[in-house]
Structures are given as C-alpha cells and as structure tokens.
Amino acid sequence: MSFSSKLNKAIQSTGSCLCVGLDPVLNQIPSGVVSSGLSAAGKAEEFCTNVIEATQSLAAAYKPNLAFFENLGAEGLAVFERVLQAIPKDRLVIADAKRGDIGHTAKQYAEAYFERFNVDAITLNPLMGFETLSPFLDNSDKAIFVLTRTSNSGAADFLDQPFNNYSSMAAYIASNLRTLQQSSNAHCGMVVGATQPQKLKEVLKWHPKANLLIPGVGTQGGSVEELKEVLEGHKGIPIVSVSRSIIYPSSSYASQQSYYELVREQASQYNFSLKHLISDQGYVKT
C-alpha cells in the first residue's frame, strides 16, 4: 500500500487529519501520571504508551520527536522502538528526526528508520543539498517530509529570504521537491508551519500535490481556521501535528485516569476541528 493510500485510510478511520506529537519531557509530566519507582526512561515510555492508548481512535498519525528520546541516554532508542510498537498498525508513524547528511551517512539514516524502526515517514533537513534525500526515496510505502517553511521565528533567517530567482528559499525547496517527486517512489512531502499562514500560499503553489506535515497549531498559536483558507485548492493531504496542547493538557487532575481522560478530551477537540478542515477542502475521497 502506498504511503498516501495508508494516510487516506487512517484519516477515513479517525475522521480527521490529526497527528499527535510524542514529546516526553520528564519535568512536564505531572507527578502521579506514571507509575512510581520507574527510571526516567521507564516514565517516558509509560507516558507515551498511555497517551497513545488515550488517543488512538482520534489520531490518524503519531510523530515521536527523536530529541526527547535521545535525551534519555543509552535507553532512549530502545524506548523509542517500544513506543513505536504501541502505535496501532493502521496509523501513520512519522519520525521527527530532521536528519540531513550526505552519501553513506544518509544511507545509514534511511536504513535505520525505514528498515530497522520501520516508520512510515521521516522529517529531513535539505540544507546540505537535495542529494541528501536520495537514500530515502526508494519505497512507495514511505514518505519524506522536508523542512520547507517551518513554524519557528528563525525561518525568517533563511527560508523566507529570496533565493535563486524564487521569492524565497522555501519556494525554491518546494519547486525542487515537485521535480524530485517525478523520479521518486517515496512521497516527497513538505513541513510547513501553521504559525504564519500568509507565508504558505506562495510556497504551496510550487508543489501543489504534496502531502503536508503542519506543526504550529495549539501552543505555538497556529489557527485551524486560517489553515482552511491557505489550503484551499491544494491537492495534497494535510497532516496537522499537535503535541504539547494534547499531551500536557493540565496540571490539575484528580487521578492518573482523569489525566489521560483530559488528554483524550483535548485530542477529541482537535479531531473535531480538523474534521471540518478535511471535509470542507474535500481531501479524502470515500
């Protein structure tokens, strides 16, 4: 099954293009939300597993961010692997790794994430050149999401600057990804942030069939309503990633069970708002 087909199926199953970000930060996990006596790695694993259980009927995809697992030290990748196993097989897994390197090194990353960990997609940084993407492009059931116009303010330093006769480096990246897609088996998607939607129209026109990974909704301030307008006419499928607003919904709760009920409630609210996004735009065909 192609990546886009699996994505379409997951969205039909959940009714929404919600992606839950898994960013376990130990000092943000309230006391009592995980079992006592666990190691740092054990707490992160149990927390992520409980979040997945609470949201699995509402999220079409999950996006574990590698930084938060690497920060656990030697056990981190083992925890990452076990968390992946807890995600239902009919949901998409996007490794938020932001890798970007040349030749032999990029090949090792591709084998690690697509073969060893068997994720469906990975985020990549293209600034060492488009050749760095090549090792990830062989399989039609996989996807890359390339940093194109990110949600952080630092995007203005490079991605918003005019580049090579394009209005911005982001537009240049998008145009090259569209060209690369013609010879790629894997889907060449884009990471575009929701925090400055006015910046996206010019970017999306250069790669109009790209599936999109969209961070920035929720804690960072991005608006679903503004996304609707920006995405009008775009033919790729949006995947809207929400992390902190879902997994850290409140520091006030009655019990471990009630905390994860709050997580589910937050996910349900985003699921509902994003349901209207995909239905209004007509992305997913039943």
Side-chain angles (χ1 to χ4, degrees):
M1 182 184 297
S2 72
F3 175 84
S4 292
S5 295
K6 184 175 180 181
L7 172 59
N8 199 311
K9 188 174 181 180
I11 290 177
Q12 288 186 30
S13 175
T14 60
S16 171
C17 58
L18 173 65
C19 172
V20 172
L22 299 174
D23 302 356
V25 180
L26 295 181
N27 63 12
Q28 289 186 23
I29 300 174
S31 175
V33 166
V34 292
S35 302
S36 60
L38 293 174
S39 66
K43 290 178 182 178
E45 180 178 346
E46 184 178 294
F47 178 71
C48 289
T49 301
N50 287 341
V51 167
I52 293 165
E53 183 176 356
T55 60
Q56 60 187 331
S57 66
L58 301 165
Y62 289 88
K63 183 177 71 63
N65 187 318
L66 268 296
F68 298 92
F69 295 91
E70 291 169 1
N71 194 34
L72 297 171
E75 296 178 83
L77 284 183
V79 171
F80 172 71
E81 190 164 26
R82 290 194 293 271
V83 167
L84 295 183
Q85 293 168 359
I87 297 172
K89 300 303 180 186
D90 58 351
R91 300 295 185 260
L92 275 294
V93 178
I94 303 168
D96 192 359
K98 300 182 181 71
R99 300 300 192 249
D101 214 324
I102 59 173
H104 186 62
T105 305
K107 185 174 185 292
Q108 303 310 303
Y109 283 135
E111 290 180 358
Y113 289 101
F114 284 170
E115 297 180 23
R116 176 178 174 82
F117 295 121
N118 195 31
V119 301
D120 299 292
I122 186 171
T123 60
L124 298 177
N125 187 330
L127 292 185
M128 283 186 71
F130 294 107
E131 65 178 285
T132 64
L133 310 180
S134 297
F136 298 87
L137 303 180
D138 291 339
N139 299 322
S140 63
D141 60 340
K142 305 297 185 182
I144 60 173
F145 286 97
V146 177
L147 303 182
T148 304
R149 204 297 165 184
T150 54
S151 58
N152 62 310
S153 60
D157 294 343
F158 296 105
L159 298 175
D160 287 345
Q161 298 302 313
F163 186 79
N164 204 24
N165 296 320
Y166 286 80
S167 61
S168 67
M169 183 179 286
Y172 173 77
I173 292 170
S175 178
N176 278 270
L177 288 174
R178 181 187 62 187
T179 300
L180 187 62
Q181 184 67 80
Q182 296 171 9
S183 59
S184 170
N185 292 321
H187 182 80
C188 297
M190 301 191 293
V191 178
V192 293
T195 52
Q196 294 195 51
Q198 72 279 6
K199 302 279 189 181
L200 299 185
K201 275 286 190 183
E202 175 67 18
V203 175
L204 296 181
K205 78 175 187 180
W206 290 104
H207 194 7
K209 295 182 180 180
N211 295 332
L212 307 172
L213 179 60
I214 307 177
V217 169
T219 301
Q220 294 184 60
S223 162
V224 174
E225 290 301 318
E226 289 181 308
L227 279 179
K228 287 182 183 180
E229 181 179 348
V230 170
L231 294 174
E232 185 174 357
H234 186 75
K235 296 177 181 178
I237 302 173
I239 307 168
V240 179
S241 178
V242 184
S243 302
R244 286 170 287 174
S245 295
I246 289 178
I247 68 176
Y248 303 116
S250 174
S251 59
S252 176
Y253 62 98
S255 65
Q256 183 181 100
Q257 179 181 355
S258 68
Y259 183 85
Y260 293 108
E261 287 173 353
L262 288 173
V263 168
R264 178 175 174 80
E265 182 180 329
Q266 285 293 100
S268 180
Q269 291 177 9
Y270 280 107
N271 174 287
F272 180 77
S273 64
L274 295 172
K275 189 188 302 278
H276 288 288
L277 173 64
I278 58 171
S279 63
D280 290 350
Q281 300 297 339
Y283 289 104
V284 180
K285 308 300 181 184
T286 57

